[in-house]
């Protein structure tokens, strides 16, 4: 054990990888492998079955993609015919697109030698049948989609499959994919390499391990479930519904939140309610939920990563419909089916989606369980970046917060508070609270429904009708933004400004107000402030509240 610890970390060029893969890695800007990549890639290149457990943002996708591509390149040196040798399963379309994109980037220097097909992409049946007839090297799919193609005979891997990868394995059984996975295995050869990748090692994952893996190596890295306290700060504010809205409005309007932010809510309706609320104060945001087409969701995330906008409101719907809550006859089964269908399209925005350079995660609705909190928090402080999580917690959600506190406590020193109290004096921002109350009430069920319909229609139109135009005019693609206003709630123009008189004296120097003046002001970022600085509330006499 001591000898292993003394060994220097391997670099990519020391793993006997093909030069074409190394060039792809270099183009992606990856200087050295992450811990999970360093441990997993050599084992996978040896052909061993591996169960990979590593926290969100640790580089699991590349950990299995790189050896898969290397094995294909090795196989093709002596192969006499084109065969599909790799199947990668993921629980949602978004994750399938993400995996396919990583493989595309890694094989950019391989020409057409390594071909990858994403079955979750909406393609005409005839066209898809033709594509599969060419036997692509890698097939990426959701379990249900793969089953339908296998049953129709459009794809056959009984004699050719060499590697099976199951990503986000902890979702597969929990939400009804058990039968699909067992059906898929009937179409596979008995001998092949299998890889399970998961952020957790729950009971369902271990059950899946028994079915798929044979004498596996279990890589359970001795690392925390999320980034350490030095890299990721956790805060909470106790507030009820309307006060949550007031806090959010104050934080964004006075620019006390710095950098890119993801706001999590627990339902699609809450997504639109919050967006319509922020619109009334000229705070732009975009929405991410399972109702929107998969291509639009991926496009939204890509534009967010590119910095086109700073706020995403995301629904984490998986944990709203908890099958353990409702035990009425017939209702539980119906609910599970509903969740399974939902997972197929979304799998929860907090799970696995590759958000980049996120400074803040804000839980407007506190997650229903510990795992949901961990995955949400994993959207920030990725790699070597820092970040913060701010949770707005009502009385009803206090129990769920205590459960998270108890779960994360072992990683902290005795006496330390994990989710630190972010002292926010509502009485100092009473005018903001007054405005927020009126704006929150202005968002009716009717306006939410209209907003949902309008957003879906608009996005579908952009997705289909303008596709050919944007292919010919890529520069005009910038015009296709996802944070435009929905206008289903009457917006009063004056609410977009913040009059000086409603800003607390203790905050005026933070927002740039140093002298009294009658006109309204629009807060400006000070030159001394860093753009990527996480949550900051400076200048309020809230005790020893430090910068987040």
């Amino acid at each position: 054990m001591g000898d292993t610890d003394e060994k220097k970390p391997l670099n990519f060029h020391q793993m006997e990888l093909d030069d074409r893969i190394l060039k792809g890695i270099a183009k992606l800007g990856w200087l050295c492998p992450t811990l999970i990549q360093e441990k997993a890639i050599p084992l996978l290149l040896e052909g061993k079955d591996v169960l990979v457990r590593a926290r969100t943002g640790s580089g699991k996708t590349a950990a299995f993609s790189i050896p898969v591509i290397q094995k294909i390149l090795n196989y093709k040196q002596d192969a006499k015919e084109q065969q599909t040798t790799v199947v990668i399963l993921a629980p949602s379309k978004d994750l399938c697109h993400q995996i396919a994109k990583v493989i595309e980037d890694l094989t950019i220097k391989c020409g057409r030698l390594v071909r990858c097909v994403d079955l979750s992409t909406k393609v005409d049946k005839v066209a898809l049948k033709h594509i599969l007839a060419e036997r692509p090297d890698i097939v990426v799919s959701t379990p249900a989609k793969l089953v339908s193609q296998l049953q129709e005979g459009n794809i056959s891997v009984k004699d050719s499959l060499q590697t099976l990868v199951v990503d986000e394995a902890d979702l597969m059984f929990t939400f009804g994919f058990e039968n699909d996975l067992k059906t898929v295995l009937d179409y596979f050869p008995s001998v092949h390499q299998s890889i399970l990748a998961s952020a957790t090692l729950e009971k369902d994952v271990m059950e899946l391990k028994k079915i798929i893996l044979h004498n596996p190596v279990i890589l359970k890295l001795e690392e925390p479930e999320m980034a350490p306290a030095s890299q990721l700060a956790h805060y909470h504010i106790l507030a009820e519904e309307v006060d949550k809205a007031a806090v959010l409005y104050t934080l964004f309007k006075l620019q006390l939140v710095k950098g890119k932010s993801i706001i999590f809510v627990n339902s699609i309706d809450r997504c639109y309610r919050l967006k319509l609320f922020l619109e009334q104060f000229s705070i732009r945001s975009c929405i991410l939920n399972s109702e929107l087409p998969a291509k639009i969701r991926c496009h939204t995330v890509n534009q967010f990563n590119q910095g086109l906008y700073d706020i995403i409101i995301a629904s984490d719907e998986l944990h709203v419909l908890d099958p353990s809550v409702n035990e009425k006859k017939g209702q539980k089964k119906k609910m599970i089916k509903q969740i399974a269908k939902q997972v197929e399209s979304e799998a929860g925005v907090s799970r696995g989606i590759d958000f980049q350079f996120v400074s803040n995660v804000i839980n407007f609705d506190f997650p229903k369980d510990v795992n949901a909190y961990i995955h949400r928090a994993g959207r920030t402080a990725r790699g070597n970046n820092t970040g913060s999580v701010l949770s707005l917690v009502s009385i009803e959600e206090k129990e769920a917060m205590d459960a998270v506190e108890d779960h994360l406590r072992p990683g902290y020193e005795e006496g330390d508070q994990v989710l630190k109290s972010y002292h926010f004096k509502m009485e100092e921002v009473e005018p903001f609270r007054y405005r927020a109350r009126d704006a929150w009430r202005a968002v009716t069920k009717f306006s939410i429904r209209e907003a949902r319909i309008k957003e879906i229609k608009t996005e579908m139109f952009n997705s289909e009708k303008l596709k050919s135009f944007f292919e010919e005019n890529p520069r005009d693609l910038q015009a296709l933004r996802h944070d435009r206003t929905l206008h289903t709630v009457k917006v009063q123009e004056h609410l977009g400004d913040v009059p000086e008189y409603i800003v607390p004296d203790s905050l005026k120097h933070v927002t740039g107000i140093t002298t009294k003046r009658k006109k309204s002001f629009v807060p400006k970022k000070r030159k001394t402030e860093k753009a990527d600085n996480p949550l900051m509330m400076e200048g309020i006499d809230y005790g020893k509240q430090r910068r987040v």
Side-chain angles (χ1 to χ4, degrees):
M1 191 71 179
D3 294 339
T4 305
D5 294 338
E6 291 174 5
K7 288 182 179 179
K8 292 183 179 180
L10 286 176
N11 213 320
F12 285 119
H13 68 272
Q14 297 173 304
M15 295 180 178
E16 300 182 3
L17 297 175
D18 191 284
D19 285 345
R20 289 164 289 190
I21 298 177
L22 292 175
K23 289 177 181 177
I25 291 171
K27 189 165 184 180
L28 286 168
W30 300 347
L31 300 178
C32 57
T34 63
L35 182 59
I36 192 62
Q37 291 165 4
E38 180 192 340
K39 301 294 183 184
I41 291 175
L43 291 171
L44 295 174
L45 288 174
E46 291 176 16
K48 295 182 178 179
D49 283 14
V50 177
L51 172 54
V52 179
R53 185 271 180 195
R55 66 179 170 85
T56 301
S58 60
K60 292 193 297 293
T61 304
F64 63 72
S65 297
I66 291 172
V68 157
I69 297 167
Q70 181 63 54
K71 287 184 68 177
I72 291 172
L73 293 175
N74 293 343
Y75 168 76
K76 287 207 162 185
Q77 291 179 359
D78 303 315
K80 295 180 180 179
E81 60 179 333
Q82 176 67 28
Q83 296 282 1
T84 298
T85 58
V86 178
V87 170
I88 302 176
L89 298 177
S92 74
K93 294 177 182 178
D94 305 73
L95 287 171
C96 287
H97 296 339
Q98 186 173 300
I99 293 167
K101 182 66 169 64
V102 170
I103 292 173
E104 179 187 336
D105 291 340
L106 288 170
T107 57
I108 195 167
K109 299 297 181 179
C110 297
R112 283 186 55 81
L113 197 59
V114 179
R115 284 178 284 174
C116 177
V117 171
D118 179 7
L119 295 187
S120 68
T121 303
K122 192 174 182 180
V123 181
D124 179 73
K125 284 187 176 181
V126 177
L128 184 59
K129 187 174 182 178
H130 176 71
I131 292 170
L132 292 175
E134 295 179 350
R135 299 175 183 175
D137 300 285
I138 304 171
V139 170
V140 182
S141 178
T142 58
K145 194 81 172 181
L146 182 62
V147 167
S148 65
Q149 294 303 317
L150 289 168
Q151 290 175 341
E152 290 175 16
N154 295 335
I155 180 173
S156 176
V157 291
K158 193 70 175 179
D159 300 319
S160 63
L161 185 74
Q162 296 179 8
T163 307
L164 167 65
V165 180
V166 180
D167 195 15
E168 293 292 339
D170 52 341
L171 286 179
M172 291 297 184
F173 272 17
T174 308
F175 297 101
F177 291 119
E178 181 177 0
N179 292 333
D180 287 331
L181 284 169
K182 289 180 178 178
T183 302
V184 163
L185 293 176
D186 292 337
Y187 289 87
F188 290 172
S190 57
V191 179
H192 60 267
Q193 182 184 23
S194 297
I195 306 162
L196 293 185
S198 174
T200 62
L201 288 181
E202 296 176 340
K203 181 181 177 182
D204 293 332
V205 178
M206 303 313 289
E207 191 68 26
L208 190 59
K209 163 184 167 281
K210 295 176 184 177
I211 299 174
I212 293 179
L213 302 179
H214 306 281
N215 298 321
V217 176
I218 300 178
L219 279 181
K220 184 181 179 183
L221 299 185
E222 292 301 323
E223 61 174 1
E225 293 175 297
M226 58 178 66
S230 59
Q231 190 178 349
L232 178 61
H234 304 263
Y235 291 88
H236 79 275
I237 296 175
L238 294 176
E240 295 307 310
E241 184 90 334
V242 177
D243 285 342
K244 285 185 180 185
V247 169
L248 202 64
Y249 161 44
T250 306
L251 290 175
F252 282 116
K253 205 60 190 178
L254 295 183
Q255 293 189 359
L256 301 174
V257 173
K258 304 297 178 182
K260 293 196 291 187
S261 304
I262 303 176
I263 307 171
F264 278 107
V265 293
N266 284 344
S267 70
I268 296 175
D269 270 5
R270 301 277 285 175
C271 262
Y272 288 97
R273 186 178 186 88
L274 198 53
K275 178 177 172 66
L276 292 172
F277 168 77
L278 293 176
E279 270 184 15
Q280 296 177 72
F281 303 105
S282 301
I283 300 172
R284 301 187 67 151
S285 62
C286 53
I287 282 175
L288 204 61
N289 64 61
S290 61
E291 277 191 339
L292 301 174
K295 286 184 180 179
I296 295 301
R297 296 199 298 268
C298 292
H299 188 253
T300 301
V301 173
N302 287 337
Q303 286 195 339
F304 179 74
N305 289 340
Q306 291 165 13
L308 264 68
Y309 33 75
D310 292 332
I311 304 173
I312 275 186
I313 303 173
S315 61
D316 196 7
E317 302 130 56
L318 278 182
H319 303 281
V320 181
L321 299 173
D322 185 348
S324 64
V325 173
N326 201 322
E327 297 292 342
K328 291 182 180 179
K329 187 176 180 180
Q331 215 162 3
K332 182 175 177 180
K333 186 177 288 187
K334 182 180 179 182
M335 194 177 292
I336 292 174
K337 287 182 179 178
Q338 187 177 356
I339 295 173
K341 185 178 179 182
Q342 194 167 284
V343 175
E344 179 68 29
S345 65
E346 176 67 8
V349 174
S350 72
R351 303 300 300 271
I353 304 302
D354 190 18
F355 295 103
Q356 297 174 7
F357 308 113
V358 176
S359 296
N360 319 295
V361 165
I362 300 176
N363 290 318
F364 189 83
D365 295 329
F366 199 81
K368 297 293 183 181
D369 58 46
V370 174
N371 283 334
Y373 183 91
I374 291 170
H375 283 290
R376 287 185 185 185
R379 300 304 104 210
T380 184
R382 297 169 76 89
N384 295 319
N385 298 314
T386 59
S388 46
V389 181
L390 174 65
S391 299
L392 307 179
V393 185
S394 66
I395 296 296
E396 294 178 351
E397 296 168 326
K398 185 69 166 56
E399 186 177 344
M401 188 190 78
D402 291 340
V404 171
E405 180 94 17
D406 293 340
H407 182 82
L408 299 181
R409 185 170 299 284
Y412 288 76
E413 293 183 10
E414 189 176 349
D416 284 356
Q417 189 178 10
V418 181
L419 275 70
K420 297 178 181 178
S421 178
Y422 196 98
H423 302 292
F424 193 96
K425 290 189 176 180
M426 290 302 301
E427 60 271 18
E428 288 201 10
V429 290
E430 186 61 33
F432 289 86
R433 191 181 185 184
Y434 179 79
R435 285 182 163 202
R437 188 184 298 115
D438 287 347
W440 189 254
R441 289 172 180 169
V443 184
T444 63
K445 289 183 179 179
F446 177 79
S447 63
I448 292 171
R449 186 182 67 184
E450 291 298 303
R452 288 176 68 165
I453 294 171
K454 183 177 180 180
E455 180 85 342
I456 294 167
K457 283 182 178 178
T458 304
E459 295 293 14
M460 289 180 70
F461 176 80
N462 288 338
S463 180
E464 300 299 328
K465 302 295 183 183
L466 301 183
K467 181 180 177 182
S468 58
F469 172 81
F470 285 122
E471 285 177 352
E472 296 173 4
N473 303 273
R475 290 188 179 181
D476 291 340
L477 189 61
Q478 297 297 319
L480 184 59
R481 296 180 64 96
H482 301 280
D483 60 346
R484 57 190 167 275
T485 53
L486 293 173
H487 292 304
T488 61
V489 173
K490 184 179 179 181
V491 176
Q492 303 178 61
E493 292 185 6
H494 73 279
L495 292 180
D497 295 326
V498 181
E500 178 186 345
Y501 67 83
I502 74 171
V503 182
D505 292 337
S506 56
L507 276 178
K508 287 183 178 179
H509 77 284
V510 178
T511 54
I513 300 178
T514 53
T515 58
K516 292 184 178 180
R517 52 187 182 221
K518 294 182 179 179
K519 63 180 182 179
S520 302
F521 81 100
V522 177
K524 293 183 179 180
K525 188 186 296 181
R526 296 183 299 169
K527 292 181 180 179
T528 56
E529 293 173 352
K530 295 182 180 178
D532 60 347
N533 192 28
L535 287 172
M536 182 191 74
M537 189 158 289
E538 181 183 89
I540 306 180
D541 186 19
Y542 297 153
K544 295 183 179 179
Q545 176 68 54
R546 70 176 183 85
R547 289 191 181 187
V548 180

